[in-house]
Amino acid sequence: RERRETEYYRLSRLRAERKLAAIERRRSIREAKKSIRVMKDEVAKQIAQIVEDRAFATRPTYQIPPNWKATHIERPQAFYKVVACKDDRFVSVYDGETEFALGKTYKTQRGTPSGWAPMAECFFAWNSPLGALNAAFPEGSKAGKLPRVLLKVEGRGNSYEEHEVFPGGHSRWTGSVALSSVRVCR
């Protein structure tokens, strides 16, 4: 009987040790995952900083107005653009010539070897439909009198964002963007 009790206590102790070991293993795995996540975030920040530094070195800051900032859009992002209806085509309100067909991708005609197009060559759009509809066009716009339509476009690549600058140096994106590449969605 005494042997059975000692065997029982030994098995209970082993079971308890196994539970403690499993708890400790789960805790160490959680800590390892947490430290890996922190390290990945730190590496991602360093990589982003390196990419930003490289991109900044090639940005044509001399030709950008003071309230605009050069940026790069990695993944296609939705924007909105107002165009004029001329016959059965959608054309730019500004020049009355540049055509926008559904499903087509358009790129700027000129640019630097690093891929930065002059702002005058870019396609202007807004991040919201309301911003695009309220956008003012220059007085000399060639298709200013024609009926207008709102198009949804996808922008990606090198672009410029307009920022409202406040006293103290703080700025806020106005939603206006000049894109070097657009795809007309609808």
Side-chain angles (χ1 to χ4, degrees), residues 41-91:
D41 288 346
E42 187 60 35
V43 168
K45 285 178 187 174
Q46 290 175 356
I47 290 172
Q49 185 62 46
I50 291 168
V51 168
E52 178 70 19
D53 291 346
R54 283 184 182 167
F56 189 78
T58 63
R59 290 180 182 165
T61 54
Y62 58 88
Q63 67 181 14
I64 305 173
N67 58 330
W68 287 79
K69 293 183 181 178
T71 186
H72 183 80
I73 301 170
E74 288 291 325
R75 295 186 180 96
Q77 190 174 336
F79 293 101
Y80 299 89
K81 180 171 185 56
V82 172
V83 294
C85 294
K86 186 177 185 181
D87 301 326
D88 59 345
R89 304 177 298 139
F90 298 129
V91 295

Side-chain angles (χ1 to χ4, degrees), residues 90 138-139 142 156:
F90 298 129
E139 271 190 44
K142 297 208 167 83
R156 73 178 305 167

Side-chain angles (χ1 to χ4, degrees), residues 5-174:
E5 283 180 8
T6 57
E7 186 68 26
Y8 173 77
Y9 289 123
R10 189 176 70 78
L11 288 174
S12 295
R13 185 176 48 82
L14 288 173
R15 203 172 303 125
E17 286 176 359
R18 193 173 348 157
K19 282 182 182 178
L20 286 174
I23 291 170
E24 183 62 28
R25 190 169 37 252
R26 284 193 299 266
R27 187 187 64 73
S28 64
I29 288 172
R30 267 195 316 271
E31 286 180 8
K33 284 182 179 179
K34 184 179 177 182
S35 66
I36 288 171
R37 190 170 41 250
V38 168
M39 288 170 48
K40 280 183 177 179
D41 288 346
E42 187 60 35
V43 168
K45 285 178 187 174
Q46 290 175 356
I47 290 172
Q49 185 62 46
I50 291 168
V51 168
E52 178 70 19
D53 291 346
R54 283 184 182 167
F56 189 78
T58 63
R59 290 180 182 165
T61 54
Y62 58 88
Q63 67 181 14
I64 305 173
N67 58 330
W68 287 79
K69 293 183 181 178
T71 186
H72 183 80
I73 301 170
E74 288 291 325
R75 295 186 180 96
Q77 190 174 336
F79 293 101
Y80 299 89
K81 180 171 185 56
V82 172
V83 294
C85 294
K86 186 177 185 181
D87 301 326
D88 59 345
R89 304 177 298 139
F90 298 129
V91 295
S92 166
V93 174
Y94 177 69
D95 67 9
E97 301 282 327
T98 307
E99 186 176 341
F100 294 95
L102 296 177
K104 282 196 165 188
T105 300
Y106 297 91
K107 295 183 186 240
T108 55
Q109 299 295 322
R110 297 183 309 134
T112 63
S114 61
W116 291 96
M119 275 189 67
E121 294 287 321
C122 290
F123 305 100
F124 288 84
W126 288 81
N127 69 334
S128 71
L130 193 58
L133 291 170
N134 291 333
F137 288 94
E139 271 190 44
S141 297
K142 297 208 167 83
K145 305 275 188 227
L146 295 175
R148 297 179 185 177
V149 173
L150 180 69
L151 290 182
K152 182 177 181 181
V153 298
E154 280 184 352
R156 73 178 305 167
N158 296 334
S159 62
Y160 305 97
E161 295 177 344
E162 183 181 22
H163 287 258
E164 184 178 8
V165 181
F166 299 103
H170 299 291
S171 69
R172 176 178 57 102
W173 183 37
T174 62

